[in-house]
Amino acid sequence: MQHKIAVLSDVHGNVSALEAVLTDAEAQQATDYWFLGDLFLPGPGRSDLLTMLRAVHPSVWLRGNWERLIFRLADGQIDCDNPVDIYLARLSEYLLADLSAADFAWLKTLPIATNVVCEGVAIGLTHSQRDQDNSQTIFPARAQVGFDRLFIPNQDIALYGHSHTQIMRTSSAGQLVINPGSVGQPYSSWPRFMRDPGAQYALLEIDDLGRVQVDFCRVAYDVEKELQVAKERDLPYFDVYKHLRETGEPANHNPELLTPINREFGYTAEVVRYFELS
């Protein structure tokens, strides 16, 4: 059997990008879907993202570090003096208002790593490292040892997300390391590659002899449509999201940007009220 697996990661709430990728994967005749985590935030997608992804019946579904952040914030573990925490908490409030209790509980059951054997090919799948969902040791220019840590003994391929950058390289032993990039928030440290906002994913083909082929895909989608969705759904931090969609620059590492916005829109008070922090 010829397996053609669409490997997706890091949607980050981008409804239009996920829609475009799923349409493209169907046209490519994908036979399975593997999702490596970070479905939500900061975009306007909420329960509809679950519906879209569930419709293709992924046989692998991991959670990422952003899901863990949502769990922490939902438990009221919020530093109200930290503008980034307020940003994430207000966006989590927006998400939780639309997610059912059953879906939220289900998200908590998802692992950060798993293993699959396909036609004899042993594959490890992680969001980041096998034991950590937020490691930077697998970012593109990091030391080889971080990529070697992705593997357990006798594993042929490591698939991981988190870095938002399409990567194919090897371990020190010659095993294959693949990152499909980000569906909703691609990133590159090289300016030219940041100019293309196209949604990223990878197609992993494995035939009945265990031969492997990897294709990196980049799919155009309507950014203006995505911003219209965000506006119609009254997404908090809309101008911040607009800047992200137009430049690729996220706000979650920029407290100086977020502080005046939190003050202007009263987001700190809103977070205190919603999460009953007073």
Side-chain angles (χ1 to χ4, degrees):
M1 176 181 176
Q2 182 80 12
H3 303 266
K4 184 178 281 191
I5 305 151
V7 186
L8 284 60
S9 192
D10 296 278
V11 174
H12 285 287
N14 191 329
V15 181
S16 306
L18 180 59
E19 193 173 55
V21 161
L22 293 177
T23 298
D24 189 75
E26 181 181 20
Q28 300 277 1
Q29 299 181 314
T31 60
D32 197 359
Y33 294 79
W34 293 348
F35 180 63
L36 306 183
D38 278 3
L39 186 59
F40 304 110
L41 274 53
R46 298 185 284 183
S47 61
D48 54 333
L49 297 178
L50 287 173
T51 300
M52 292 164 65
L53 204 48
R54 283 171 172 165
V56 297
H57 309 291
S59 64
V60 170
W61 194 319
L62 305 181
R63 72 151 178 87
N65 57 300
W66 279 64
E67 279 87 11
R68 176 176 51 81
L69 282 171
I70 294 163
F71 304 153
R72 169 177 71 82
L73 297 162
D75 284 340
Q77 299 177 46
I78 302 167
D79 180 359
C80 291
D81 294 323
N82 182 346
V84 174
D85 249 28
I86 296 300
Y87 169 70
L88 296 170
R90 181 64 187 88
L91 288 171
S92 295
E93 174 190 342
Y94 174 83
L95 170 67
L96 294 169
D98 187 63
L99 282 186
S100 70
D103 280 341
F104 187 67
W106 175 78
L107 288 167
K108 285 188 169 183
T109 70
L110 296 175
I112 63 170
T114 193
N115 304 304
V116 172
V117 177
C118 180
E119 301 293 353
V121 181
I123 305 167
L125 302 102
T126 62
H127 179 70
S128 178
Q129 284 289 358
R130 301 190 64 86
D131 58 351
Q132 185 182 356
D133 61 23
N134 195 28
S135 174
Q136 297 186 9
T137 60
I138 38 66
F139 281 18
R142 294 302 175 97
Q144 180 67 41
V145 63
F147 297 93
D148 292 345
R149 282 186 55 219
L150 289 166
F151 291 89
I152 60 174
N154 301 314
Q155 203 159 68
D156 303 301
I157 299 174
L159 289 170
Y160 76 97
H162 188 56
S163 74
H164 295 212
T165 306
Q166 290 181 322
I167 294 170
M168 185 163 65
R169 57 181 293 164
T170 65
S171 72
S172 297
Q175 301 139 300
L176 193 58
V177 178
I178 303 166
N179 188 308
S182 171
V183 171
Q185 199 171 306
Y187 176 78
S188 175
S189 57
W190 192 251
R192 176 173 293 279
F193 298 137
M194 279 294 284
R195 297 175 195 168
D196 180 359
Q200 301 173 342
Y201 76 106
L203 282 169
L204 178 66
E205 294 189 56
I206 304 175
D207 69 13
D208 55 2
L209 297 178
R211 293 176 296 200
V212 176
Q213 178 173 312
V214 182
D215 289 319
F216 287 120
C217 305
R218 193 143 190 161
V219 185
Y221 71 94
D222 190 338
V223 173
E224 289 305 315
K225 174 188 171 184
E226 175 67 9
L227 292 175
Q228 188 61 35
V229 170
K231 183 170 288 188
E232 290 173 355
R233 296 185 183 184
D234 199 22
L235 177 70
Y237 300 92
F238 172 80
D239 287 339
V240 173
Y241 190 61
K242 183 174 184 289
H243 181 73
L244 171 63
R245 293 278 63 85
E246 292 174 348
T247 67
E249 298 173 3
N252 53 299
H253 302 298
N254 194 340
E256 292 78 13
L257 170 69
L258 296 172
T259 296
I261 297 173
N262 290 341
R263 186 183 304 117
E264 177 184 356
F265 290 93
Y267 284 146
T268 301
E270 171 64 18
V271 165
V272 168
R273 181 199 63 77
Y274 181 84
F275 292 99
E276 299 180 343
L277 300 178
S278 58

